[in-house]
Amino acid sequence: AQANIQAFIPCGGFKDTINHANIGRFLANFKELKFIVEGANVFFDDASRRHIALFSDIKQIKDSSANKGGVFSSSVAEVLTAFLLGEDYEEKLMEDIDTKWALTKDIMLLVEKYAAAETGMLIQIHEETKTPLFQLSEITSEQIFALQAICEENLPLILGNENLVCQIMESYIPAILITKLGKESIMTTLNSDAIKAYRDAIITKKLSSMAFYKYGQNWDTFMSRVNDDFSSAIATIIQ
């Protein structure tokens, strides 16, 4: 019997639950399936992903892309918030229900925004190049990491552009924290010797991701601009 569903989001299961040996039966039972979003790590093996890409019209988002929202939300809700609130964490967040719910809402909105941006870009590139989506997840992750490495090498230039840094942080930090603490207080904390390495990681990774959301379809052209004139190319990301 057919399952009669259109979206499958596995959020558990053993490694390679769907594999080269059972992918045929899986597709036979899920003939109306249109989307697979891998909430569980390594639930599918690459052989099954490749089979799905070749023999079906299903759009499958690999776990390495699908799970970024979870990594982002944990980082923001726990690590960033703890750094910014410090000893006042319990009082200003855990015991303040309004702030706690506002933070939850802001994080969910940010996850939705950037998940949609990344997925949309992956699908656009997939439709243009016919490269399987699971392969694009790997390829584009490497591209983002490569740009991040270049950003790390040019970090003094980025930090010298206060407007750019401010906009990057505003795209990363939940609005309720900016409202509660103020931009100046937040940057004072992030610029402290104790956590400036964390600040630098936010800046370089977020800037690289934003570049992909904007220039993913013309990545080689954009990277040529980065290599020719780093400051000018990077400035266009937030324009």
Side-chain angles (χ1 to χ4, degrees):
Q2 291 186 27
N4 195 32
I5 62 173
Q6 295 187 5
F8 178 44
I9 308 174
C11 294
F14 294 108
K15 181 179 184 295
D16 299 343
T17 298
I18 306 300
N19 53 64
H20 71 284
N22 60 24
I23 184 58
R25 296 193 300 276
F26 174 85
L27 291 179
N29 286 329
F30 291 86
K31 291 182 179 179
E32 296 186 9
L33 197 59
K34 295 182 179 179
F35 301 97
I36 296 173
V37 181
E38 295 185 38
N41 287 331
V42 298
F43 186 82
F44 291 82
D45 70 0
D46 276 349
S48 63
R49 293 187 183 106
R50 190 170 294 106
H51 186 99
I52 290 169
L54 289 173
F55 300 107
S56 80
D57 294 324
I58 297 170
K59 288 181 169 56
Q60 181 173 11
I61 304 299
K62 192 175 184 291
D63 48 27
S64 56
S65 291
N67 288 340
K68 286 183 179 179
V71 175
F72 174 82
S73 60
S74 296
S75 176
V76 173
E78 298 175 16
V79 181
L80 174 67
T81 306
F83 276 143
L84 295 182
L85 297 180
E87 295 180 357
D88 296 329
Y89 182 87
E90 293 286 341
E91 177 185 350
K92 290 185 177 179
L93 182 61
M94 302 305 294
E95 298 175 8
D96 184 339
I97 300 300
D98 290 340
T99 299
K100 184 177 180 179
W101 281 111
L103 178 63
T104 301
K105 178 182 178 181
D106 286 345
I107 291 174
M108 290 178 68
L109 289 172
L110 288 170
V111 170
E112 180 182 7
K113 176 181 178 180
Y114 295 122
E118 177 154 344
T119 302
M121 183 56 69
L122 287 172
I123 290 176
Q124 288 180 53
I125 297 172
H126 163 69
E127 292 179 345
E128 180 180 315
T129 66
K130 306 306 178 186
T131 304
L133 281 166
F134 80 92
Q135 290 183 352
L136 284 177
S137 289
E138 299 168 356
I139 293 168
T140 56
S141 290
E142 292 174 359
Q143 291 173 332
I144 291 172
F145 286 139
L147 178 57
Q148 185 181 3
I150 295 174
C151 289
E152 289 170 352
E153 294 172 358
N154 291 275
L155 193 57
L157 291 175
I158 297 174
L159 295 175
N161 187 335
E162 293 185 9
N163 180 57
L164 175 63
V165 172
C166 183
Q167 292 192 57
I168 295 170
M169 288 303 180
E170 286 180 353
S171 72
Y172 184 85
I173 300 172
I176 185 63
L177 294 180
I178 297 176
T179 299
K180 285 281 186 179
L181 302 176
K183 297 178 184 177
E184 185 175 343
S185 173
I186 288 173
M187 290 313 301
T188 296
T189 301
L190 293 175
N191 289 334
S192 64
D193 289 339
I195 63 171
K196 63 182 180 182
Y198 175 72
R199 172 208 65 190
D200 295 346
I202 292 174
I203 291 172
T204 56
K205 183 57 182 290
K206 191 61 190 174
L207 190 57
S208 302
S209 297
M210 292 168 67
F212 174 70
Y213 304 150
K214 187 169 184 176
Y215 295 116
Q217 283 184 284
N218 302 291
W219 191 254
D220 290 342
T221 300
F222 171 70
M223 289 302 294
S224 293
R225 294 172 62 190
V226 168
N227 292 323
D228 290 340
D229 188 345
F230 177 83
S231 296
S232 176
I234 291 300
T236 68
I237 295 172
I238 59 171
Q239 291 176 353

